Structures are given as C-alpha cells and as structure tokens.
Amino acid sequence: MADAASQVLLGSGLTILSQPLMYVKVLIQVGYEPLPPTIGRNIFGRQVCQLPGLFSYAQHIASIDGRRGLFTGLTPRLCSGVLGTVVHGKVLQELGPGNVQKEVSSSFDRVIKETTREMIARSAATLITHPFHVITLRSMVQFIGRESKYCGLCDSIVTIYREEGILGFFAGLVPRLLGDILSLWLCNSLAYLVNTYALDSGVSTMNEMKSYSQAVTGFFASMLTYPFVLVSNLMAVNNFLLVMPLLIPIYYTSWIDWLWHGNMSRGNSLFFRKVPFGKTYCCDLKMLI
C-alpha cells in the first residue's frame, strides 16, 4: 500500500511538472503554429528556417492565458495518471509475481513471460484511463479556436456522451494500445539482445550497464512507435472542435489511413524545429501548408 501511494504521489508530481511541455507538444502535433518561423542556425552552423521551440511556444500561451493557462487539462490528466497507476498495480498483483519461476529454463523465456505480464497490465490501465486522455487532449486543443466546449471534467464527460456516446471516450484507442505494446516488446527484446550478446558478463559494472542499455533501447523503441502516438492524438481531437477542419482538412475514418497521412514525426522534437521541406508558413491560418 505504501509503495502504491508513493508511486501515485511521484507520478502526480511529475505530471504537474511536465504539463506545460505536454501542452505545447499536443498543439504542435495538431499542426498549430502561432508564431512565424525565424532564420537561425542548426548544430552544424548551417542557416535554416526554424520554428519556435518549447520556451517561445509556452511564452506565447502564457501571454494569452497567463501562466495558469499552461496547466490546461491538468485535472483529467492527473485522474488518468492516478487511476492508471492503481489499475496497473492491481492487474500485476492479480497475475502473480513475475520474477523467477522454476519451470522457466531460459532467460529469453523469462523475458517473454515478464513482458507479456507487463503488457496485460499496461493495456488494462490504458483502456481504463483513455476517456480521461481524450478529455485532456480536447481541453488543450480548444485553445486554438478559443472554444470553451471542454472546460470542466464533469461537463466534458456529459458533452462527449451526449454528442458521441460511449465510443467517443475511446477515440484513438487502437493506435495508442498498439503503440504501447510495440514499444514495450521492442524495448525489452532489444535490451535482452544487448545485455546478452553485447555486454561482457565479467564487467564489474554489469548492472549499471544493463540499466543504461534499458534506457537507450526504451528511447529507441519510443522513437520508432511515435507515429502511433501522433495518430492516436489526432484521432482523439479531429472533427470534434470547430478549428480542426482547418488544421487537418482531410478526415480519415481508419487509423491506418491516418498513419500514412502527413508528417508522422510532427511534435517529436520541441527544440531545433525546422520548417519541413516544401512547406510554407501561412500567417492567416497559423500553420504550415
């Protein structure tokens, strides 16, 4: 119980601290660019046309809604984090201990069993918390059109249910689930391969090296599965706010069609953002066309 409470408190603290970052990231993902690009230089000293980074973007939001505005959507996101932590822990508890089992002979079989166990727990937490995730995203994106459709948590729940029914709470769920599952399996599989074949078991800092390899493979896996995160977020907000048809004029009913549409790396970097090749900035629409 104490461990669960500490995880909830730690997760809530990190959620609060990272809220402005996620806010900016979501607005970039949907294609909103309120500030025009400027001429700058990349890390190699070459002159490029750069889009505003995290701090400039956040400063723009604060100039309109104040610093408190940077925490729009925090309440449903906190609810999602707390509920997800509780569900994840309960499912792992129901599945039983995931450490060493006598019937498991090879370490790779153990990796498969532990990854499967973690996949079930994460999927259950994602399924339960996705309605709060949808509300969080829509609360943030309505900043673009200065709408007030999704203001409070209870009002947002009523609005979604009235206009879209139960399915509205699960918009974008499939690509989000697939992205989480792929990221988990890629991360654990790559970490196993690195720890087994690339690291020398005689090194004194073996445990530390394994921790580093887990972090590196986790980052690599998250980069590969980022398009699923982007598609999920776009599906959760598209066509449900007045401004979205302007930012995303083409609406796809299938997440597979979404996956092949447009720039699937949009929003994966909040610094050193350059204007994509062939794109120009439209001041009236505040977006790249």
Side-chain angles (χ1 to χ4, degrees):
M1 182 66 69
D3 290 340
S6 62
Q7 288 179 1
V8 168
L9 289 174
L10 178 61
S12 299
L14 292 175
T15 298
I16 294 172
L17 291 176
S18 64
Q19 180 65 15
L21 186 146
M22 182 185 176
Y23 193 7
V24 171
K25 190 180 188 74
V26 168
L27 293 181
I28 292 175
Q29 285 177 338
V30 299
Y32 181 59
E33 298 291 348
L35 301 174
T38 57
I39 301 299
R41 296 187 180 275
N42 59 15
I43 56 176
F44 302 105
R46 183 177 299 175
Q47 196 175 67
V48 293
C49 194
Q50 292 182 337
L51 292 166
L54 169 64
F55 299 112
S56 298
Y57 213 121
Q59 189 176 13
H60 171 75
I61 296 173
S63 67
I64 297 175
D65 288 343
R67 293 183 180 178
R68 186 178 178 181
L70 292 171
F71 295 90
T72 300
L74 178 61
T75 300
R77 191 175 175 220
L78 280 174
C79 293
S80 175
V82 171
L83 185 59
T85 301
V86 173
V87 171
H88 182 270
K90 289 292 184 182
V91 173
L92 288 180
Q93 190 176 8
E94 289 294 326
L95 293 175
N99 41 19
V100 186
Q101 300 177 0
K102 292 183 179 179
E103 69 271 13
V104 180
S105 55
S106 71
S107 58
F108 186 66
D109 288 339
R110 187 163 58 249
V111 169
I112 291 178
K113 286 183 176 292
E114 292 176 355
T115 305
T116 302
R117 179 172 172 268
E118 179 67 19
M119 178 188 68
I120 295 172
R122 285 195 189 184
S123 298
T126 299
L127 181 64
I128 296 297
T129 61
H130 193 73
F132 294 102
H133 180 68
V134 171
I135 294 172
T136 299
L137 295 175
R138 295 187 185 183
S139 299
M140 293 175 173
V141 174
Q142 68 180 0
F143 166 84
I144 302 172
R146 309 306 296 162
E147 300 176 59
S148 56
K149 193 175 181 180
Y150 304 96
C151 285
L153 180 59
C154 295
D155 291 340
S156 299
I157 293 174
V158 172
T159 300
I160 294 175
Y161 182 76
R162 184 178 63 246
E163 295 184 355
E164 306 158 54
I166 295 295
L167 292 179
F169 293 104
F170 298 96
L173 174 63
V174 173
R176 187 184 177 203
L177 270 177
L178 286 177
D180 285 346
I181 292 172
L182 286 174
S183 178
L184 177 63
W185 279 98
L186 278 173
C187 175
N188 288 2
S189 300
L190 289 173
Y192 168 78
L193 293 174
V194 171
N195 294 336
T196 303
Y197 300 106
L199 297 180
D200 184 4
S201 59
V203 179
S204 59
T205 58
M206 184 63 183
N207 292 331
E208 185 178 352
M209 292 296 292
K210 285 186 176 182
S211 299
Y212 289 151
S213 69
Q214 188 79 18
V216 172
T217 54
F219 175 77
F220 182 68
S222 65
M223 291 293 292
L224 289 177
T225 57
Y226 178 77
F228 290 91
V229 177
L230 179 57
V231 169
S232 173
N233 290 353
L234 290 177
M235 291 187 69
V237 301
N238 191 51
N239 248 23
F240 304 111
L241 293 165
L242 295 177
V243 72
M244 292 313 298
L246 296 177
L247 294 172
I248 310 174
I250 303 175
Y251 178 74
Y252 296 100
T253 56
S254 170
W255 66 269
I256 298 176
D257 294 333
W258 276 100
L259 196 62
W260 297 107
H261 171 72
N263 180 13
M264 286 294 103
S265 63
R266 187 171 59 195
N268 67 343
S269 175
L270 298 178
F271 302 97
F272 305 109
R273 302 173 57 230
K274 67 176 184 178
V275 177
F277 178 76
K279 295 286 187 178
T280 56
Y281 181 76
C282 178
C283 296
D284 294 333
L285 296 177
K286 296 185 177 180
M287 59 179 290
L288 298 174
I289 57 174

